[in-house]
Amino acid sequence: MKFTDGYWQVRDGFSPLHPAQVDDVRADPAAGTMTVYAPTAVIRRRGDTLNRPLLTVTYSSPAPGVIGVRIEHLSGGAQRGPHFELHREEGFLPEISVDEAAGVLRSGPLAVRVHRDGGWRVDVEQDGQVVTSSLHKAVGAVQADAAHGGAHYVHEQLSLAPGEHLYGLGERFGPFVKNGQAVDIWNADGGTSSEQAYKNVPFYMSSRGYGVFVDHPELVSFEVASETNTRAQFSVEGQSLQYYLVAGPTPKEVLTRYTALTGRPARVPGWSFGLWLTTSFTTSYDEQTVSGFIDGMAERDLPLSVFHFDCFWMREYQWVDFEWDPRTFPDPEGMLGRLKDKGLKICVWINPYVAQRSPLFEEAREAGYLLRTADGGVWQWDKWQAGMGLVDFTNPEATEWYLGKLKGLLDQGVDCFKTDFGERIPVDSVVWSDGSDPAKMHNYYAQLYNEAVFRLLERERGEGDAVLFARSATAGGQQLPVHWGGDCDSTYASMAESLRGGLSLAMSGFGYWSHDIGGFEGVPDPGVFKRWLAFGLLSSHSRLHGSDSVRVPWAFDEEAVDVTRRFTRLKLSLMPYLAGVAEEAHRDGISMMRPMVLEFPADRGGFGVDTQYMLGGSLLVAPVFTAEGDVEYYVPEGCWTNLLDGRTVSGPRWVAERHGFDSLPLLVRPGTVLPVGARTDRPDYEWADGVTLRLFELPDGHDSTTVVPSETGAATTFRTVREGARVTVSSDDARAPWAVQLGDQVVRAPGAGSVELSV
């Protein structure tokens, strides 16, 4: 929130305290902390210390390259949870030095330098260079008067250099570059066409190679060059503020350190990368309808991996009761068995609400499993479902009760869950079972909800075979994939805003992301649907879903069937490559879908680009957002090759093209060894069997290793070396035939060994 009225004045009703100087700096090497005591006025004589507030700033480091900063006014207040679960490197201690000039705490490449002479100045240094600073009036403890609620706030402002861009703050559908925006970290069900967000993450990343994570699950208010043009401010209500500085210097290194702190994305099963088809939301359907969709896909040779039942698999007014509506699904076990005999995985919709008409409501109320009001009753309202209550996941017994209902579905044959909602969490006059602060629980509830369901799937299906389709999240939610972009319109504009949301989420530590192909609200015209197909099937995860209309391709036109087939098969053929990219997401916290600035941080031409992305490190995807097929996209340096037609494009420059519905800019980065699979009928095959390594613009002296993962055994490794006109590709552990393609040359190998080609 804003505390000033222009640059010079304070807003009426607010009284700020700012550090005026440094009184003392105390190091505790055993604890790894450096504490700074800063009076809020210049102290000239002893008497000036009387009746004078003092701000305390403590620096620490949980791991190399990460520095914690805690700003406190009055430190004796209750510290109610919940708190983000952070991972610290056991035994690590930063280097601390204090002399007459400064106190310095150093952690890996990152350091904070607190200057002791003059006014308040703290420099953040990376590899010896100042990347940001806390300057005069940057730190503030603010008191609001009674007319403005009487609350206390603490803020920090970190300086911004000319040309510096900030990214992240969760899945935000507005401009990708956050400069100039006021952002409140507060989960809300606002669709993709507003400033609200389903997945709010109090973390941003700078184009100067550092990140900032504000360690507060409650409302965090960011003013990103929107109050003071040369500063990024963040503030919370209360008497203290905790945040972490995260080193780079590259964006990938920032994400790797940040996700080491807050958690890395889990592995997801190979089958989840295939095409998902749903019933849509409010359409009428029964087993015959579902079978018609699935058989229609098979008849048209459209590979399908997962079928999803949306809300009305349960009876209306009873969400959730976890019972199949007997009017439409009288034999759920038999139906699920018949669907699974067709090779499909099954997903069903759930949410954390229990409607009053649900048979489970009274059971949960009597047991104390629902969120309570301050007077001891059950919190209820009529939004979404009549008289609904909210499952209290802070109560372990309530959690196990809820998961017991889900286990019954798993026993029936369900494979995964769409964990919808989780954003409409009340804060006024409610009491959580474990005494959690309601303001902190508003955002954090999504973490408890999704984690409970994800851990159940891990227990029942095994690690690596658990996957969600989740809508709400906060920091740490990346550990519980997959997330999708929420309710979007069926328009080109909404398609583009969905992509912006995915790119911002990628800069917030989330490794996987999806969206509703064709849009959710309304009925897309055939052109929108076909353009969205190409985008959706070149995303991490791909789902056909709508609100009150179905998304089977033949509902639009026959060309939509052809486009679905083309891009579904293309994605399945890319599984050896995508599986490797997914492993990067799990191992390093680097998203599968990457903004251009994440992959090319030294190329300023891509700093603000939000209409295209890199799918992994080697494929550039530029979705088409126009009916005519016109598209403009940015090509970084080098000679890039369109994977679909073989044409080459050289950069760095902007390119304008026109594409049919069966095409889009899909460029292979120069210097790429792209593993392409032998199958196009399903995603979960042995990716190294029959793989073809396609070589693109390898420079002389190229020497790289390509790892093709496996879900059932050891990965297969290939080494590619170019010396002059000769290219050699070898593998010591290939257990099946493979091939190498260079231009028109294709050379096959029976297994372990090497092949040679000429450039």
Side-chain angles (χ1 to χ4, degrees):
M1 61 183 295
K2 291 181 170 68
F3 299 105
T4 58
D5 178 12
Y7 188 69
W8 306 111
Q9 301 182 82
V10 177
R11 280 181 59 193
D12 289 343
F14 292 90
S15 301
L17 295 170
H18 303 291
Q21 65 183 63
V22 173
D23 176 74
D24 196 10
V25 181
R26 298 181 183 177
D28 185 343
T33 61
M34 181 177 73
T35 303
V36 178
Y37 299 94
T40 53
V42 175
I43 305 302
R44 294 184 173 87
R45 55 187 180 273
R46 283 184 171 184
D48 292 342
T49 64
L50 303 177
N51 304 310
R52 171 56 53 195
L54 190 74
L55 298 184
T56 304
V57 184
T58 304
Y59 300 91
S60 61
S61 178
V66 180
I67 293 179
V69 183
R70 184 168 185 82
I71 303 167
E72 295 174 298
H73 178 206
L74 304 178
S75 62
Q79 300 296 317
R80 298 169 67 191
H83 305 286
F84 290 126
E85 181 181 352
L86 303 184
H87 307 279
R88 304 172 188 275
E89 184 172 309
E90 187 174 352
F92 174 75
L93 290 173
E95 300 174 17
I96 304 173
S97 62
V98 179
D99 58 26
E100 292 300 314
V104 179
L105 183 144
R106 190 176 307 280
S107 174
L110 200 62
V112 289
R113 182 179 301 274
V114 181
H115 297 270
R116 304 186 67 177
D117 55 336
W120 178 259
R121 180 187 179 99
V122 179
D123 290 329
V124 180
E125 302 170 354
Q126 183 161 247
D127 294 324
Q129 300 294 316
V130 176
V131 291
T132 188
S133 300
S134 176
L135 303 172
H136 178 56
K137 292 187 176 181
V139 170
V142 183
Q143 167 77 62
D145 64 17
H148 291 82
H152 296 267
Y153 302 88
V154 180
H155 71 68
E156 170 72 285
Q157 297 173 347
L158 295 178
S159 64
L160 298 173
E164 182 175 357
H165 292 60
L166 300 187
Y167 310 93
L169 300 179
E171 181 193 49
R172 319 210 74 84
F173 303 102
F176 174 55
V177 176
K178 298 304 180 283
N179 297 52
Q181 298 182 43
V183 176
D184 283 343
I185 301 299
W186 193 251
N187 284 2
D189 177 10
T192 67
S193 298
S194 76
E195 83 286 357
Q196 295 180 355
Y198 303 101
K199 307 168 190 66
N200 287 268
V201 181
F203 169 78
Y204 69 77
M205 189 190 307
S206 167
S207 60
R208 299 196 77 196
Y210 66 92
V212 175
F213 170 55
V214 182
D215 185 16
H216 289 262
E218 69 268 34
L219 172 66
V220 183
S221 180
F222 285 86
E223 297 291 341
V224 188
S226 52
E227 181 171 17
T228 302
N229 293 337
T230 57
R231 299 182 182 183
Q233 174 177 287
F234 39 94
S235 60
V236 296
E237 184 175 340
Q239 297 280 1
S240 63
L241 169 66
Q242 175 75 54
Y243 71 94
Y244 291 88
L245 298 154
V246 184
T250 67
K252 287 184 179 180
E253 289 171 295
V254 173
L255 284 180
T256 296
R257 288 191 172 96
Y258 167 71
T259 56
L261 183 68
T262 59
R264 296 267 165 77
R267 288 189 177 95
V268 294
W271 55 259
S272 72
F273 292 98
L275 181 59
W276 299 44
L277 174 64
T278 87
T279 58
S280 289
F281 173 28
T282 61
T283 57
S284 296
Y285 52 85
D286 54 18
E287 182 178 354
Q288 183 178 0
T289 310
V290 170
S291 296
F293 288 167
I294 293 168
D295 293 343
M297 297 288 283
E299 291 164 2
R300 294 167 175 83
D301 195 21
L302 301 176
L304 185 63
S305 297
V306 185
F307 191 83
H308 167 72
F309 291 86
D310 216 58
C311 313
F312 283 95
W313 69 273
M314 293 177 283
R315 189 163 182 165
E316 69 276 3
Y317 289 120
Q318 295 184 189
W319 303 337
V320 291
D321 62 4
F322 304 113
E323 297 290 338
W324 295 84
D325 186 344
R327 299 169 301 177
T328 48
F329 301 108
D331 179 25
E333 290 85 356
M335 176 190 66
L336 294 178
R338 288 184 285 274
L339 296 181
K340 293 178 79 69
D341 286 343
K342 297 179 181 181
L344 295 173
K345 299 292 184 178
I346 304 300
C347 177
V348 297
W349 176 97
I350 61 172
N351 69 23
Y353 310 135
V354 182
Q356 185 169 294
R357 198 173 88 170
S358 168
L360 300 183
F361 182 86
E362 193 61 25
E363 178 183 337
R365 184 191 69 79
E366 289 184 358
Y369 294 163
L370 301 177
L371 177 64
R372 297 278 180 174
T373 55
D375 62 5
V378 171
W379 176 86
Q380 290 180 270
W381 68 1
D382 286 327
K383 292 182 180 180
W384 183 241
Q385 288 289 280
M388 72 174 208
L390 180 67
V391 176
D392 184 350
F393 287 109
T394 73
N395 181 343
E397 293 181 1
T399 301
E400 288 307 310
W401 170 82
Y402 186 87
L403 298 184
K405 307 299 180 183
L406 297 185
K407 186 178 183 305
L409 293 167
L410 297 178
D411 292 342
Q412 285 183 332
V414 170
D415 296 287
C416 59
F417 299 102
K418 172 183 172 180
T419 49
D420 205 354
F421 285 83
E423 308 93 1
R424 299 178 177 182
I425 310 303
V427 297
D428 296 324
S429 301
V430 294
V431 178
W432 294 93
S433 174
D434 72 345
S436 285
D437 182 342
K440 294 182 178 181
M441 274 300 297
H442 175 83
N443 289 340
Y444 197 77
Y445 184 87
Q447 183 74 3
L448 295 182
Y449 166 41
N450 286 312
E451 183 169 31
V453 180
F454 194 85
R455 300 309 176 204
L456 171 71
L457 289 169
E458 286 189 321
R459 290 200 305 266
E460 297 296 318
R461 296 291 187 254
E463 289 190 21
D465 208 30
V467 65
L468 304 177
F469 231 83
R471 189 172 77 173
S472 57
T474 187
Q478 68 270 7
Q479 300 170 87
L480 315 165
V482 168
H483 296 81
W484 100 97
D487 298 347
C488 47
D489 290 329
S490 298
T491 63
Y492 288 111
S494 199
M495 182 177 163
E497 70 195 13
S498 293
L499 175 56
R500 293 196 297 271
L503 297 179
S504 284
L505 195 65
M507 296 296 265
S508 306
F510 284 66
Y512 314 92
W513 178 76
S514 188
H515 43 97
D516 292 339
I517 295 176
F520 178 72
E521 295 288 354
V523 181
D525 66 51
V528 169
F529 181 71
K530 286 178 282 194
R531 297 296 185 193
W532 212 316
L533 277 167
F535 169 35
L537 284 159
L538 288 168
S539 297
S540 147
H541 286 74
S542 309
R543 184 179 72 158
L544 295 165
H545 182 63
S547 178
D548 56 3
S549 60
V550 299
R551 293 291 182 267
V552 289
W554 54 91
F556 298 92
D557 58 30
E558 283 305 309
E559 188 178 30
V561 174
D562 296 335
V563 173
T564 304
R565 185 184 306 111
R566 175 173 173 76
F567 285 101
T568 303
R569 287 182 172 179
L570 172 64
K571 183 176 186 181
L572 301 182
S573 75
L574 289 172
M575 278 306 302
Y577 169 72
L578 295 176
V581 176
E583 185 62 21
E584 286 185 68
H586 168 70
R587 183 188 67 235
D588 301 326
I590 309 301
S591 57
M592 292 187 68
M593 299 173 67
R594 305 171 185 177
M596 300 303 292
V597 67
L598 180 58
E599 195 63 40
F600 300 94
D603 185 348
R604 294 192 66 88
F607 275 19
V609 175
D610 59 10
T611 52
Q612 64 188 67
Y613 56 95
M614 296 294 294
L615 183 56
S618 298
L619 296 180
L620 187 159
V621 183
V624 178
F625 300 118
T626 64
E628 300 79 12
D630 293 324
V631 58
E632 289 186 88
Y633 60 96
Y634 179 74
V635 181
E637 185 177 5
C639 182
W640 296 63
T641 306
N642 192 306
L643 186 63
L644 300 180
D645 59 23
R647 292 183 298 171
T648 58
V649 180
S650 294
R653 66 187 178 100
W654 282 88
V655 177
E657 294 176 349
R658 175 169 288 192
H659 286 259
F661 290 117
D662 64 346
S663 179
L664 82 169
L666 175 58
L667 307 186
V668 185
R669 187 176 187 168
T672 290
V673 177
L674 183 69
V676 178
R679 298 187 62 169
T680 60
D681 60 331
R682 59 184 305 132
D684 47 345
Y685 55 94
E686 191 54 56
W687 299 310
D689 289 359
V691 68
T692 297
L693 304 176
R694 297 189 59 183
L695 314 183
F696 294 88
E697 302 292 334
L698 302 186
D700 190 12
H702 176 95
D703 189 339
S704 68
T705 298
T706 303
V707 179
V708 179
S710 171
E711 287 193 299
T712 59
T716 302
T717 302
F718 301 90
R719 183 183 180 193
T720 304
V721 177
R722 178 180 172 184
E723 297 173 311
R726 183 177 66 183
V727 177
T728 304
V729 184
S730 59
S731 176
D732 294 332
D733 51 16
R735 296 169 295 279
W738 51 281
V740 180
Q741 181 176 349
L742 176 59
D744 295 330
Q745 302 176 74
V746 179
V747 180
R748 305 188 184 280
S754 63
V755 299
E756 291 189 2
L757 305 92
S758 297
V759 177

